[in-house]
Amino acid sequence: MKKVVFADSDAGYINSLAGYVEDKLKGELEINIFTNAEKIINFISARGGDIFIINSKIYDELKVDYFCGDEKVIILTEDSSASYKSNERIYYKYQPAGNMVREIKKKLEFVSRNDDKSLANLYGVYCLYDKRLNTDFAIGLGQILGEKEKTLWINMMEFSGFKYIGEGLSGNLSDLMYMFMNNNESINIPEEEYVNKLGRLGYISPINYIQDLRNINFKSWWKLINELAIIWDYKNVILLFDNMISDFVSALSVCKKIYMISPLGALDKAALKEFIDYILIIEREDIIEKVISVKMPEYMEIMEIE
């Protein structure tokens, strides 16, 4: 049974609409009704969701990364001429409810077609300080996860040093993004052309320097990561990143778990406090709840440059 989220600040309207849809699609849907963004965040964090029918005002309060794909979203609006810069379906509220049933059926077809393409588990390693320790931890985590399931490591750090480490594959992450963007956000290339091997871990050569890719929002990176995980059949993806990517908060939001190296000195501790202060200011306590602090030895060299 698919989980459907209905959300509108007008409780009478959204209950009536959800009730009509439930009556017409009996036994097909699990209906969940909300009137504010905070409760939606808590629900999605705990249980996920398959289709989202969201009032435009509430939608704008939320980060779109919660939905893990615009194809699952229908936006309710009182303005029949409204448009959004994405693939969401805009639905004018004051039209026959039967039209909504048809829209949901279309979404159900999409979700059913993609059920076998479940998204990989995304583990974040957020580098607030000490690039070397974070890199070593990401590699170690990859070896552990790779024992049981196929695992891919994506390093989004600038000047990572990996230009001189690996099997010498010519393509890197920036090449994949350019192909993805120039092919209408679709990509289909052999894994062996882009994935290096490091023990039980596969990894894509990182970007040498961000340059113009710095302005690409994380939503586009998220779509690329999912596409690669699907076509190459990876069950786990480890994302090593810092604030170089656009909207690092979105990156943190979609991670199943967020690993952060425990601070080693006073400056690290101060940086961590600033990070926590910022997350609390933007009211994203859900991110802090996913953070796992990792104690690392001050020297742990996993890789050496020949």
Side-chain angles (χ1 to χ4, degrees), residues 92-292:
Y92 179 54
K93 289 172 60 173
Y94 305 115
Q95 59 178 294
N99 293 346
M100 173 59 76
V101 174
R102 285 190 288 273
E103 289 298 326
I104 291 178
K105 285 183 176 179
K106 292 178 184 178
K107 298 294 183 184
L108 285 173
E109 290 175 3
F110 170 82
V111 171
S112 297
R113 286 197 305 270
N114 289 275
D115 273 349
D116 59 333
K117 299 180 179 180
S118 57
L119 302 181
N121 295 315
L122 183 62
Y123 297 91
V125 179
Y126 178 55
C127 184
L128 191 59
Y129 35 73
D130 204 320
K131 182 186 296 184
R132 179 181 57 80
L133 283 181
N134 279 275
T135 301
D136 287 346
F137 173 76
I139 294 171
L141 176 63
Q143 300 301 325
I144 294 171
L145 294 175
E147 287 185 356
K148 295 183 178 180
E149 295 179 312
K150 194 175 179 183
T151 300
L152 179 67
W153 174 37
I154 295 179
N155 185 341
M156 299 190 72
M157 304 283 288
E158 193 171 35
F159 304 123
S160 66
F162 273 73
K163 180 179 179 180
Y164 301 103
I165 299 175
E167 300 175 2
L169 298 182
S170 58
N172 62 24
L173 187 58
S174 62
D175 299 322
L176 288 170
M177 176 53 82
Y178 280 123
M179 283 190 286
F180 186 65
M181 293 175 64
N182 292 328
N183 196 32
N184 295 318
E185 297 191 338
S186 177
I187 196 167
N188 188 13
I189 57 174
E191 177 184 353
E192 59 270 17
E193 291 185 11
Y194 281 87
V195 177
N196 299 275
K197 292 297 181 181
L198 187 60
R200 293 179 289 269
L201 178 65
Y203 75 92
I204 299 169
S205 297
I207 297 169
N208 294 328
Y209 33 87
I210 299 293
Q211 287 188 333
D212 53 324
L213 291 179
R214 194 187 307 273
N215 295 321
I216 296 176
N217 61 39
F218 182 73
K219 187 175 178 182
S220 296
W221 287 112
W222 178 223
K223 287 183 177 180
L224 172 62
I225 291 168
N226 283 322
E227 188 75 12
L228 295 176
I230 288 171
I231 65 173
W232 294 340
D233 194 30
Y234 280 95
K235 303 304 181 185
N236 302 307
V237 175
I238 299 170
L239 185 66
L240 174 63
F241 65 101
D242 58 10
N243 297 345
M244 296 299 296
I245 62 174
S246 175
D247 193 6
F248 76 96
V249 174
S250 290
L252 293 168
S253 299
V254 298
C255 293
K256 180 178 181 180
K257 296 180 181 178
I258 303 164
Y259 295 94
M260 294 183 67
I261 302 300
S262 299
L264 296 175
L267 191 60
D268 290 352
K269 291 178 181 178
L272 178 60
K273 187 176 186 306
E274 290 177 348
F275 167 75
I276 294 173
D277 288 345
Y278 174 70
I279 296 300
L280 293 176
I281 287 172
I282 63 174
E283 298 181 346
R284 294 301 303 272
E285 291 85 353
D286 58 296
I287 290 176
I288 295 177
E289 291 173 359
K290 294 190 290 184
V291 171
I292 299 174

Side-chain angles (χ1 to χ4, degrees), residues 53-120:
I53 297 94
I54 308 286
N55 173 276
S56 58
K57 292 181 180 179
I58 295 178
Y59 178 85
D60 289 339
E61 292 179 32
L62 294 168
K63 296 291 185 182
V64 293
D65 42 72
Y66 279 114
F67 304 123
C68 297
D70 296 333
E71 298 86 356
K72 298 181 177 183
V73 180
I74 298 174
I75 294 180
L76 300 172
T77 178
E78 297 181 10
D79 181 2
S80 59
S81 64
S83 63
Y84 284 75
K85 296 179 181 179
S86 198
N87 298 321
E88 303 96 344
R89 177 69 171 92
I90 310 302
Y91 181 87
Y92 179 54
K93 289 172 60 173
Y94 305 115
Q95 59 178 294
N99 293 346
M100 173 59 76
V101 174
R102 285 190 288 273
E103 289 298 326
I104 291 178
K105 285 183 176 179
K106 292 178 184 178
K107 298 294 183 184
L108 285 173
E109 290 175 3
F110 170 82
V111 171
S112 297
R113 286 197 305 270
N114 289 275
D115 273 349
D116 59 333
K117 299 180 179 180
S118 57
L119 302 181

